[in-house]
Amino acid sequence: MSLTTAAKVEVLSVLVRAGREARAPLTPHDCNTVVETSAHLAEIAPTLTEGTPGERARATRSAMELFLSVDCPQLAPELREELARAVEHVVVRHPATAA
């Protein structure tokens, strides 16, 4: 599975587990933004200049948190963090692709 697909699956999983109430502030466009942003960040993770896969994963998590705070400020901070961690875990689990 590619990094982009894995990121989309993980982020959608987080959104579903969060429940309807947590997703209520999001429009369909917002949901699409969250999913596509996660895919784009996972895609660029291998090109980051950080030395190790773990450092690249942490940089990807930080970028996801930043984008979510700007693009979807209505999301609860806890959900933003969980979504960012999901993308980080994808990058960590696929070190060969993110090397």
Side-chain angles (χ1 to χ4, degrees):
M1 180 183 314
S2 72
L3 278 172
T4 56
T5 302
K8 288 180 178 183
V9 168
E10 286 296 320
V11 164
L12 286 169
S13 177
V14 168
L15 288 171
V16 168
R17 282 192 318 266
R20 191 170 289 182
E21 187 175 311
R23 292 188 310 270
L26 296 174
T27 66
H29 176 74
D30 293 335
C31 286
N32 187 57
T33 296
V34 170
V35 172
E36 290 304 318
T37 298
S38 71
H40 291 303
L41 289 173
E43 184 177 27
I44 66 168
T47 66
L48 297 174
T49 58
E50 282 70 11
T52 68
E55 290 170 341
R56 283 188 290 277
R58 283 186 294 281
T60 303
R61 180 192 66 213
S62 295
M64 184 70 174
E65 286 183 44
L66 175 64
F67 281 118
L68 289 175
S69 69
V70 171
D71 289 341
C72 299
Q74 69 276 29
L75 274 178
E78 301 82 25
L79 183 53
R80 284 196 303 259
E81 290 173 19
E82 192 173 345
L83 290 164
R85 279 195 312 270
V87 177
E88 177 186 27
H89 291 157
V90 167
V91 174
V92 167
R93 280 196 313 261
H94 295 75
T97 337

